[in-house]
Amino acid sequence: MLRFGFVADGVWKALVGAAMLALLPWLISSADAPGWLLGLTAVAVLASAAAEIAFGIHSGAGSHTKYLVAYDAGWVLASVASVLLITALGATGAWTLWLCYQLAAAPVAAVVFARGARPEPSRRTIRQH
């Protein structure tokens, strides 16, 4: 079941990253965020998604659940903070907060999950007589 959860979360991230790239021209004009930041963030989220999907397929170990929870909790907090900035204060550039979180956290998650997805080298035990 954990494997499915990691893969499903990775697929969600892949959809978000792909949507960001597909909607890049529209987002640049309406999100009040720099295009380079949008593009880099989309690529970082896609890399994180790929690593998480690979981890789910190859390992899916419960030891990495804490990383998934931490990343997604930060995602939710950054999203809520951005929405509050937009609605309560009418703050322009609130997207930048969300994008900066993703740009900082997604590569870290990608490395953690990519390292976890690699098979462990076989260990030979040396018998001592």
Side-chain angles (χ1 to χ4, degrees):
M1 194 62 158
L2 278 175
R3 285 177 182 243
F4 175 77
F6 285 113
V7 172
D9 196 74
V11 168
W12 167 252
K13 286 180 178 92
L15 291 171
V16 170
M20 287 175 67
L21 286 177
L23 299 172
L24 197 60
W26 179 78
L27 286 171
I28 290 170
S29 66
S30 65
D32 197 27
W36 65 268
L37 181 58
L38 284 159
L40 280 177
T41 302
V43 170
V45 170
L46 286 169
S48 174
E52 194 173 330
I53 291 167
F55 177 79
I57 291 170
H58 297 290
S59 174
S63 61
H64 281 58
T65 304
K66 59 189 170 199
Y67 303 119
L68 179 63
V69 169
Y71 178 86
D72 287 351
W75 183 319
V76 169
L77 290 174
S79 299
V80 168
S82 296
V83 169
L84 288 175
L85 284 171
I86 291 169
T87 57
L89 303 174
T92 59
W95 261 92
T96 304
L97 171 66
W98 188 87
L99 293 168
C100 287
Y101 170 75
Q102 294 299 332
L103 189 56
V108 173
V111 169
V112 168
F113 285 109
R115 290 186 70 195
R118 287 188 299 190
E120 298 249 348
S122 61
R123 296 180 185 170
R124 292 184 177 194
T125 56
I126 299 173
R127 294 184 186 194
Q128 294 182 5
H129 297 281

